[in-house]
Amino acid sequence: MIFVGGVPFSSSSQGNTLVALMEDPILVSAANSFKAIPERKFPVYEESGVDRLMKNKWVYLFQREYGTVDPAFVDFVGTDEATTCVGIVIRNKKNGMTSVSHMDSPNIVDMGLSQMLLHVVDHNMEAELDVHLVGGFEDVSPNYAYSSTRSESQEQLDGHSFPLCAKIVEALFTRPENFHVQTLFVLGHNTRRDSEGNAYPIFHGLVVETSTGLVTPACFDRTSRCPDEIVRRIRVTSAYEDPSWSGKLLETSFRQKDISLTLKSLSDSEILLICSTSPSAEAPDFVDNLRRQWEYLIEHPDWRETFPSKQARAFERVGDGGWKRC
């Protein structure tokens, strides 16, 4: 069930709950306020606050990952690099337990929400859950995406952002938990256009301060996308076609090496066209991040080196707030 402004939300436009939410005055006002917030950069070392910031602990999430954190142990949790993807925050207002995910496909929404809610709800179906959605943009004409009577050919023009956002809202609307939507900064709200009318996301990421629930736009640099950046990036792309995610990396490692050798030879523009759902809207380091993944796969084609005996790679916090391999 979805609440807006403390009131259960009911859409007068049957089957188009997302459109109705996008036009709700409370959420429009919240989106405008969110747009005015300066983007927070991680890590940021202010001259007077280095010691304080170094003690802060944050969790970073890559595409198709989620993390549920206790505010007693984690100060911030966030994600970025989203163009057609959506970052979701669900926070229990009573105990502060916070779950964040980076969703990239309608196919993972139902199970993804169940995973996020497992430790946030804690068997209390009456818990009040604050929800924030940030990401996605108008990667196709809104005249197609927002039409309530689309033909099959028109549905093919929906792009990536609209179907994902629609599925997330539909899932929240039909689940029994109480979701209080606080931020809906997606699609048109998260779109800017250049002088030629080309669309781009305004923000690519978010961070939530777990102690207060404050959500702000955010971007992370390479040093703060940790731990185990390259392996976590490869984990998504290498196991993408396997719904169980079980054993896929070991079975496909040498195939991934061949693919990497082929892709590495392409130009930057070719890589964008082949590997991105929104080539013109990607961050400047998009191609470089892919090339670093391919280099790793070429140098380490046998995944038994990375996951001996198929054991997980575990990390623990160290005194300065960073991570150390266990």
Side-chain angles (χ1 to χ4, degrees):
M1 181 182 297
I2 290 178
F3 292 76
V4 176
V7 178
F9 185 83
S10 60
S11 172
S12 58
S13 178
Q14 187 175 6
N16 231 339
T17 306
L18 172 60
V19 175
L21 281 172
M22 291 286 292
E23 297 172 348
D24 183 89
I26 294 176
L27 293 179
V28 169
S29 176
N32 291 333
S33 297
F34 189 84
K35 186 189 299 185
I37 300 174
E39 186 176 62
R40 181 164 191 173
K41 294 177 171 57
F42 277 78
V44 179
Y45 297 102
E46 300 171 2
E47 224 174 287
S48 60
V50 172
D51 291 339
R52 177 188 60 79
L53 189 61
M54 287 295 287
K55 292 177 182 177
N56 283 338
K57 299 178 176 65
W58 68 80
V59 170
Y60 180 82
L61 301 164
F62 287 98
Q63 180 177 340
R64 200 172 276 212
E65 289 186 340
Y66 82 100
T68 302
V69 302
D70 186 329
F73 302 105
V74 176
D75 302 304
F76 299 96
V77 56
T79 187
D80 70 345
E81 299 188 314
T83 53
T84 57
C85 299
V86 175
I88 304 177
V89 176
I90 302 178
R91 182 177 185 271
N92 189 315
K93 297 170 77 170
K94 183 177 180 180
N95 60 24
M97 289 294 292
T98 303
S99 191
V100 178
S101 70
H102 184 132
M103 292 199 181
D104 62 357
S105 166
N107 298 330
I108 65 168
V109 169
D110 289 326
M111 178 60 71
L113 287 175
S114 295
Q115 291 172 294
M116 293 178 71
L117 290 165
L118 183 61
H119 298 294
V120 172
V121 173
D122 194 25
H123 307 294
N124 180 13
M125 299 301 291
E126 299 301 317
E128 294 188 352
L129 307 173
D130 282 342
V131 175
H132 304 262
L133 274 64
V134 178
F137 72 111
E138 287 183 343
D139 53 328
V140 296
S141 168
N143 293 331
Y144 287 111
Y146 290 98
S147 172
S148 60
T149 56
R150 297 192 302 279
S151 66
E152 183 176 344
S153 61
Q154 284 177 314
E155 288 177 355
Q156 296 174 358
L157 298 175
D158 278 352
H160 298 274
S161 297
F162 184 86
L164 175 57
C165 292
K167 176 59 179 177
I168 292 170
V169 167
E170 174 196 344
L172 294 174
F173 192 73
T174 56
R175 289 188 65 103
E177 296 89 354
N178 298 325
F179 299 106
H180 294 258
V181 179
Q182 306 292 346
T183 307
L184 188 65
F185 197 77
V186 299
L187 302 175
H189 295 318
N190 189 35
T191 300
R192 62 179 178 85
R193 297 185 183 275
D194 62 19
S195 59
E196 297 180 354
N198 299 310
Y200 304 90
I202 297 173
F203 297 125
H204 292 260
L206 61 86
V207 68
V208 54
E209 185 174 355
T210 59
S211 62
T212 64
L214 177 66
V215 175
T216 58
C219 64
F220 297 75
D221 70 9
R222 186 181 299 176
T223 65
S224 58
R225 294 177 184 136
C226 57
D228 222 13
E229 178 211 359
I230 292 297
V231 171
R232 288 167 68 191
R233 289 183 185 277
I234 294 172
R235 170 178 170 267
V236 175
T237 55
S238 296
Y240 197 88
E241 298 173 354
D242 185 353
S244 69
W245 292 62
S246 176
K248 185 72 170 182
L249 293 174
L250 283 170
E251 295 168 5
T252 64
S253 56
F254 287 95
R255 175 174 174 268
Q256 289 294 324
K257 178 181 178 180
D258 293 338
I259 293 172
S260 298
L261 286 166
T262 300
L263 293 172
K264 182 186 174 185
S265 66
L266 301 177
S267 67
D268 288 2
S269 59
E270 289 172 324
I271 290 172
L272 280 167
L273 288 173
I274 293 172
C275 300
S276 172
T277 58
S278 51
S280 64
E282 294 293 354
D285 60 352
F286 177 82
V287 172
D288 179 60
N289 288 333
L290 286 175
R291 291 193 184 279
R292 290 191 297 120
Q293 294 175 57
W294 299 332
E295 288 289 350
Y296 187 96
L297 284 166
I298 292 167
E299 293 176 14
H300 307 279
D302 189 341
W303 276 93
R304 285 171 292 190
E305 298 176 24
T306 307
F307 293 96
S309 302
K310 295 188 178 183
Q311 294 301 304
R313 293 163 67 90
F315 293 79
E316 64 180 4
R317 289 284 188 186
V318 293
D320 64 359
W323 298 92
K324 181 182 72 174
R325 180 89 181 270
C326 298

